[in-house]
Amino acid sequence: MDFQRWLAVAVGEAEAGLAEGGIPIGAALIGRDGEVLGKGHNRRVQDDDPSVHGETAAFRNAGRQRSYAGTTMVTTLSPCWYCSGLVRQFGISRVVIGEAENFHGGHDWLAEHGVEVVLLDDPHCTRMMADFITEHPELWYEDIGEDAR
């Protein structure tokens, strides 16, 4: 498994989202053969659409698949409950996570329900998200559904 190569795709998406003025969370859906089926980034700000998270964008961009068994969702940040539900709903087999220090989403729940979870603790992902939270707390807390502290 080439987790670092796959994470680089998701990081590129997160950086593109940040450059567009959005929240720097990127993702990629990887096929059984290791090829990228779809990639995307959080577009809540850019599209004024709260449903466009990095994982949902990657999933949509992958198009219809006959089955998601054996696929991997790669994301720069631990997936929220919404995106964790997407993984479970469609039977995605593995989630590779860049970091879970800034946000601990639903990945424990995924693991408890048979999804393989790989946490990379990538320092670039951690720093990129921490910097964003410091610079844009209102957008961050809106994104995770909490009031700004």
Side-chain angles (χ1 to χ4, degrees):
M1 304 297 156
D2 197 353
F3 299 145
Q4 292 299 327
R5 180 175 64 87
W6 297 344
L7 182 62
V9 174
V11 167
E13 286 294 316
E15 291 170 342
L18 183 62
E20 295 168 357
I23 299 162
I25 302 170
L29 184 64
I30 308 299
R32 292 170 207 78
D33 61 0
E35 294 304 311
V36 176
L37 298 173
K39 60 186 179 175
H41 53 272
N42 186 303
R43 297 192 53 83
R44 296 180 83 247
V45 174
Q46 300 92 312
D47 294 351
D48 195 29
D49 182 347
S51 70
V52 187
H53 291 204
E55 296 89 342
T56 60
F59 183 77
R60 288 174 180 166
N61 289 332
R64 290 176 51 200
Q65 304 295 312
R66 183 172 179 90
S67 169
Y68 295 89
T71 63
T72 300
M73 180 65 74
V74 182
T75 180
T76 56
L77 185 67
S78 179
C80 69
W81 287 107
Y82 170 58
C83 295
S84 294
L86 179 141
V87 168
R88 288 269 292 137
Q89 173 71 30
F90 291 95
I92 295 170
S93 300
R94 178 186 306 117
V95 176
V96 175
I97 301 165
E99 69 105 348
E101 184 176 326
N102 287 295
F103 180 75
H104 192 101
H107 68 267
D108 290 336
W109 176 76
L110 288 171
E112 290 168 7
H113 288 87
V115 176
E116 180 185 352
V117 174
V118 178
L119 180 55
L120 298 178
D121 290 322
D122 181 80
H124 178 67
C125 289
T126 303
R127 192 171 41 258
M128 179 172 47
M129 196 73 244
D131 289 349
F132 179 81
I133 293 168
T134 298
E135 294 169 15
H136 305 283
E138 70 290 344
L139 285 178
W140 170 245
Y141 289 109
E142 175 189 325
D143 190 61
I144 62 172
E146 294 181 12
D147 289 329
R149 296 179 188 171

